[in-house]
Amino acid sequence: MKRKLVTVTGTANPSFAKDVCDYLDIPLTTSEVGRFPDGEIDVKILDDVRGSDVYVIQSTCPPVNDNLMEVLLLLDCLRRSSAERITAVLPYFGYARQDRKAEGRVPITAKLVADLVTQAGADRVLSMDLHAHQIQGFFSVPMDHLYAAPVMIDYFKKIDIPSLTVVSPDVGGIKMARAYAKRLSAGLAICDKRRNGPTDTDIVHVIGEVEGRNVLLVDDMISTGTSIVTAADSCRKNGALDVYICATHPVLAGQAIEKLGKALVKEIVVTDSIPIRDGILPNLKVLSVANLVGEAIRRIHKSESVSSLFL
Ligand code: R5P
């Protein structure tokens, strides 16, 4: 018997979940996600999900703890409602940067969150542009890792920036930047970034040629904007012409909007993995990855290859 495809979401980004459903040509399952008077989360799925193949679509973006808790409660609720298979679709996986013991006496929170998601009831996980590829191994269930690259590269191919060099704002992002450079037939450079604190980074060197070149800075996320704005400034100091920014997840925490607003950057391109207000910055472009996520869900449901989306 064929399992019914069902999608559920919480309060983080219902319009993204709706866009995914439009692609899949199915309605979003009716659910209620609210708060009890004391702030505890109150969840109820209103449609029957027994025996279904269910996808909980929600980024664990700010407010991170509330959105994560909603996902955990939805997973538990679905498991107890006898859904046959449950996939946590976390386009942006919060806490991903806490993926190692960078110093003594700190937790590895990305692993803890991965355990919480699986313990709550996820049989599979789907995410996009994880901060580090190894985080896939933190999940003890199958994990599909999507890339926003096809959507981003399609856009940058269309605008066809001449004399382009793709720049990684730090050493950790080289693999991502190299993939973009290859597909855009562009040069490649790397910023040697030192992080002094959550909102303080230095670029010691720019390794590679940016002088007289247009630059595309590629990153997995913009949180406080410190890394990307420092990298943009360094590229310009090293003689770059126009600077473009491309980052999958617009976390935009703290003073990010102010910092990006003051940066000498031609265009900032992000995706809708995290909701952002329209017109927040005049040079901000939001590309949708809803169809890409929808296609990945369709393929998982039909037991078709997901990796072939990125060949
Ligand atoms: C760092 O390794 C990440 O890829 C991002 O560059 C960084 O975490 C973004 O944070 P922020 O915007 O606060 O500098």
Side-chain angles (χ1 to χ4, degrees):
M1 205 177 69
K2 249 178 66 181
R3 285 177 301 199
K4 191 177 161 200
L5 171 59
V6 167
T7 52
V8 176
T9 195
T11 61
N13 195 358
S15 74
F16 180 81
K18 173 79 177 52
D19 290 346
V20 173
C21 288
D22 287 348
Y23 177 84
L24 292 166
D25 201 17
I26 56 168
L28 189 61
T29 289
T30 324
S31 58
E32 285 173 355
V33 181
R35 298 291 182 271
F36 286 109
D38 61 358
E40 289 179 2
I41 295 168
D42 176 19
V43 159
K44 185 169 167 63
I45 309 280
L46 300 181
D47 297 330
D48 179 27
V49 292
R50 186 176 293 273
S52 301
D53 184 22
V54 188
Y55 297 78
V56 177
I57 306 171
Q58 174 142 299
S59 283
T60 51
C61 53
V64 183
N65 298 327
D66 277 4
N67 290 334
L68 171 63
M69 199 64 192
E70 283 188 9
V71 169
L72 298 176
L73 267 63
L74 284 166
L75 292 169
D76 184 74
C77 173
L78 289 160
R79 189 177 45 156
R80 293 174 195 281
S81 309
S82 304
E84 188 164 316
R85 184 175 70 171
I86 308 167
T87 302
V89 181
L90 315 170
Y92 168 68
F93 179 62
Y95 281 111
R97 288 177 293 174
Q98 296 186 47
D99 59 353
R100 67 198 184 289
K101 279 190 78 171
E103 54 186 314
R105 300 183 299 281
V106 294
I108 304 181
T109 317
K111 166 69 176 137
L112 172 67
V113 174
D115 286 345
L116 289 171
V117 168
T118 43
Q119 284 300 312
D123 299 302
R124 308 182 58 92
V125 176
L126 177 63
S127 190
M128 179 176 281
D129 282 328
L130 285 167
H131 175 61
H133 285 235
Q134 309 85 279
I135 292 168
Q136 290 171 78
F138 288 2
F139 293 93
S140 52
V141 293
M143 206 262 168
D144 288 296
H145 187 192
L146 306 181
Y147 307 95
V151 174
M152 296 287 200
I153 285 166
D154 192 45
Y155 176 75
F156 284 104
K157 272 191 175 158
K158 274 186 198 134
I159 63 171
D160 193 19
I161 306 162
S163 309
L164 184 66
T165 293
V166 173
V167 179
S168 173
D170 55 36
V171 175
I174 295 174
K175 210 173 161 200
M176 186 177 188
R178 194 193 298 128
Y180 275 69
K182 189 173 166 206
R183 292 167 73 180
L184 290 168
S185 306
L188 178 64
I190 299 150
C191 294
D192 179 14
K193 176 178 99 174
R194 307 283 152 91
R195 189 177 273 287
N196 310 314
T199 57
D200 182 14
T201 60
D202 288 328
I203 304 280
V204 190
H205 303 104
V206 177
I207 306 161
E209 201 50 68
V210 294
E211 190 173 355
R213 309 275 301 168
N214 293 309
V215 154
L216 172 62
L217 280 159
V218 172
D219 210 348
D220 57 324
M221 70 169 88
I222 304 175
S223 182
T224 64
T226 310
S227 306
I228 211 84
V229 170
T230 311
D233 290 347
S234 295
C235 288
R236 291 189 67 89
K237 274 188 204 134
N238 282 272
L241 305 173
D242 286 338
V243 177
Y244 295 77
I245 289 174
C246 154
T248 306
H249 306 297
V251 179
L252 304 184
Q255 303 303 307
I257 300 295
E258 290 77 359
K259 272 187 205 158
L260 291 165
K262 285 187 200 145
L264 289 173
V265 167
K266 183 106 172 160
E267 192 168 35
I268 303 157
V269 183
V270 296
T271 79
D272 56 355
S273 68
I274 294 176
I276 43 179
R277 271 188 290 120
D278 271 348
I280 203 165
L281 284 168
N283 57 347
L284 184 77
K285 171 109 190 149
V286 182
L287 303 179
S288 182
V289 287
N291 288 1
L292 185 62
V293 171
E295 179 58 19
I297 290 175
R298 191 195 67 74
R299 289 178 182 219
I300 294 168
H301 179 64
K302 298 265 180 199
S303 299
E304 292 174 10
S305 164
V306 171
S307 60
S308 61
L309 271 170
F310 304 100
L311 294 178

